[in-house]
Amino acid sequence: ASATLILHSDDSVREAAAKVMGASCNILGPEKTTEIVQEEILSTSADDSSDIRHGKACAIRRIFSAEVSKKLDESVSSDLRNLAIQYMKDEKIAVQEAGIVAVGAAVGRSQDPTAALRSVEPDILPLMGDLKQRLETHQSVARCLCLALEFADVESRVAFLGMTLLNASLKLAMSGSQRVQFAFNDVLWLALSVSDGQGGLDEYSATAMFEDSRQMKSLFSKVLVKIKSVTILDQ
């Protein structure tokens, strides 16, 4: 039923159905999930409406958010990741924003998350640097980076996100709408592993330019240490 409902005309129904699909795939296991992915998501056609593309983008995010995605064949994961990247560049804003979030989950579950993130960084950075973007687009980028950080099995989250994305996140955490600030505070809280102490901040500051380091330290002490947890997986 959830596979049918991700194609529904109502966007809130599509988003809810995608969440159910992700949970169902966890129960069904990797073989059945692969069947569902190939039949319901990867079988795209030129006739796919923007509603269908949006539903599929939401489903990709939820499937990669499920533990079962770790057991999918790399070729299937790669096809899903490439489709999410395609949606991220879609002409329809709702598809684009859902695609951006899906890319984050796909990157985090990649066999080489750092290489996957570097490959999409040129598409993400212009969105972050354009302060005239819709705040929902900036929030989608923040969710994308939060999911990538949450799922990536990496030694250093600072090195994984990289200085360019860290500095772009810092700028958005200190400017623009309050909702955008909150969204990128979450990115930086995860990237600097604030719950583990000051090690992430020290790692960042060792490489950052003086002014960026000063701003990050100020944000860290005034805002980030007060965040108890980031609940991106519940959203």
Side-chain angles (χ1 to χ4, degrees):
S2 59
T4 308
L5 289 174
I6 63 164
L7 314 178
H8 196 275
S9 59
D10 185 300
D11 60 350
S12 59
V13 173
R14 293 195 296 272
E15 287 165 13
K19 209 169 186 177
V20 171
M21 180 183 272
S24 302
C25 287
N26 253 350
I27 296 163
L28 294 169
E31 287 182 19
K32 191 67 182 168
T33 297
T34 299
E35 279 180 37
I36 292 167
V37 162
Q38 289 174 333
E39 289 170 15
E40 306 295 341
I41 298 174
L42 294 177
S43 60
T44 59
S45 74
D47 298 331
D48 276 4
S49 68
S50 59
D51 285 354
I52 291 173
R53 299 197 302 276
H54 174 261
K56 288 183 176 184
C58 293
I60 293 170
R61 177 250 171 112
R62 295 299 177 181
I63 289 167
F64 277 121
S65 297
E67 287 291 309
V68 72
S69 64
K70 296 179 185 176
K71 298 173 185 169
L72 293 178
D73 189 83
E74 177 56 22
S75 65
V76 174
S77 293
S78 178
D79 286 346
L80 279 175
R81 193 161 57 246
N82 289 335
L83 188 57
I85 291 168
Q86 184 181 316
Y87 290 152
M88 182 172 70
K89 302 171 185 177
D90 201 272
E91 62 193 27
K92 291 287 186 181
I93 197 75
V95 180
Q96 183 192 94
E97 289 171 355
I100 290 167
V101 181
V103 163
V107 162
R109 294 295 196 198
S110 301
Q111 286 187 342
D112 186 345
T114 304
L117 182 57
R118 294 291 87 82
S119 74
V120 297
E121 192 172 308
D123 297 309
I124 293 171
L125 277 171
L127 297 172
M128 297 176 77
D130 181 3
L131 296 180
K132 292 179 182 158
Q133 282 287 351
R134 281 161 45 94
L135 68 88
E136 291 88 356
T137 300
H138 279 150
Q139 286 176 304
S140 295
V141 173
R143 288 190 192 105
C144 163
L145 297 178
C146 283
L147 287 170
L149 286 159
E150 191 76 53
F151 294 143
D153 185 10
V154 291
E155 280 185 30
S156 161
R157 284 180 166 183
V158 170
F160 167 62
L161 201 59
M163 296 304 287
T164 309
L165 285 171
L166 275 163
N167 290 335
S169 297
L170 176 61
K171 282 189 175 62
L172 286 167
M174 300 188 74
S175 63
S177 117
Q178 194 173 48
R179 279 191 282 170
V180 172
Q181 287 180 19
F182 288 163
F184 282 94
N185 286 341
D186 286 352
V187 173
L188 294 173
W189 188 88
L190 287 170
L192 299 179
S193 303
V194 176
S195 58
D196 295 336
Q198 203 174 314
L201 176 65
D202 292 342
E203 186 182 348
Y204 169 81
S205 298
T207 312
M209 301 287 281
F210 174 79
E211 185 57 25
D212 292 331
S213 175
R214 186 188 67 75
Q215 288 185 331
M216 189 72 88
K217 284 175 180 173
S218 173
L219 188 72
F220 185 94
S221 62
K222 290 176 183 172
V223 178
L224 300 184
V225 291
K226 294 173 184 168
I227 297 173
K228 295 287 183 281
S229 65
V230 171
T231 55
I232 180 66
L233 302 185
D234 301 330
Q235 293 170 16

